[in-house]
Amino acid sequence: DNISFNTIVSLYQRGGQWEMALHFLSERAMSHDEFSCTEAIALCVNNRQWELALEVLSAMPHRSIEQNTISINAAITSCERSGQWVHALALVQSMSQIRLIPDLITYSTAIAACQAGGQFEHVFRLVSAMLESRITPDANIFATVIDASNESGLWCGALRLISRMQNRLNMDPHMTSFSITLDSCMRNTQPRQARALLQ
C-alpha cells in the first residue's frame, strides 16, 4: 500500500541510497498512476537526474497514464536544476500538444533555465507568452528578466518591462529590478531614460 511504499522510499533516501529509491520509485510509477509518476520525477529533481525524469514523463502516455501540469512542471524543474534549458523549453512548448496550459510555475522555472543558459531572447519570449496568456508575472520573474536585459546589454527590454509593470499590470517595480534598470541605462549612456524612471 501507499504507507509501506513511502516507508521503503524514505528508508532508501535516509540511507543515502537514492539510486535504489529512484529505481524502486520508477518501477512502481510505471505500473500505477500519475501521482506515483510525479513522485518519481520529484525524486529525480532532488538528485539532478534530469534524463530519468524525462524518461518517466515520456513513458507515461505509453502506460495509459496522463501527463499533467504538475508532472511536467516537475520535469522542467529537473531540467532547470541541471542546466538543460533546451529540454525545459521543449517541455513548455509540448504542453499545447496535449492541451495543457502552462501556469506561473511552468513559466518561472523555464525562464530561470533560459537565463542560466544565457538564452535571453527566450526569456523575453516566455514573459511575452505569459502576458498573452493573462498570467501575471510576479516581482521575482520581472527581476530575473530585467537582470537578463542587463546581462545581455538589451537595456530597452528592461525599460519596456518596467513600463509594463507600472502601467499594464499596475505593479510597483521591485527595488532590485529598478536599480538594475537604472544601472543598465547609465552604463549604456542613456541618462534621459534613467531620469524618466525616477520621475
Side-chain angles (χ1 to χ4, degrees), residues 42-171:
L43 186 57
C44 293
V45 171
N46 295 333
N47 292 282
R48 298 181 182 276
Q49 297 295 309
W50 66 272
E51 291 176 306
L52 184 55
L54 294 183
E55 182 180 325
V56 172
L57 183 69
S58 62
M60 289 173 67
H62 301 292
R63 301 297 182 92
S64 299
I65 302 173
E66 290 187 0
Q67 297 175 345
N68 55 36
T69 303
I70 297 175
S71 60
I72 292 179
N73 284 349
I76 293 173
T77 300
S78 182
C79 292
E80 182 266 326
R81 293 190 181 180
S82 299
Q84 300 295 322
W85 68 267
V86 173
H87 293 288
L89 194 60
L91 287 171
V92 176
Q93 296 170 342
S94 71
M95 294 181 73
S96 62
Q97 300 174 6
I98 53 177
R99 298 181 180 180
L100 290 177
I101 300 175
D103 59 14
L104 182 61
I105 296 175
T106 308
Y107 283 115
S108 61
T109 308
I111 286 170
C114 289
Q115 186 199 21
Q119 303 300 311
F120 305 118
E121 291 187 3
H122 287 306
V123 170
F124 301 145
R125 289 171 184 166
L126 286 168
V127 173
S128 295
M130 289 185 70
L131 295 173
E132 292 173 3
S133 301
R134 297 184 179 181
I135 299 175
T136 302
D138 58 22
N140 290 330
I141 290 179
F142 273 108
T144 299
V145 177
I146 293 171
D147 189 27
S149 300
N150 189 51
E151 289 182 37
S152 63
L154 301 175
W155 60 267
C156 289
L159 292 175
R160 285 195 296 268
L161 288 175
I162 285 289
S163 178
R164 289 185 180 183
M165 290 172 69
Q166 291 176 319
N167 301 323
R168 292 185 56 186
L169 300 178
N170 195 29
M171 292 173 60

Side-chain angles (χ1 to χ4, degrees), residues 34-45:
E34 62 270 15
F35 177 80
S36 300
C37 290
T38 300
E39 200 171 15
I41 295 171
L43 186 57
C44 293
V45 171

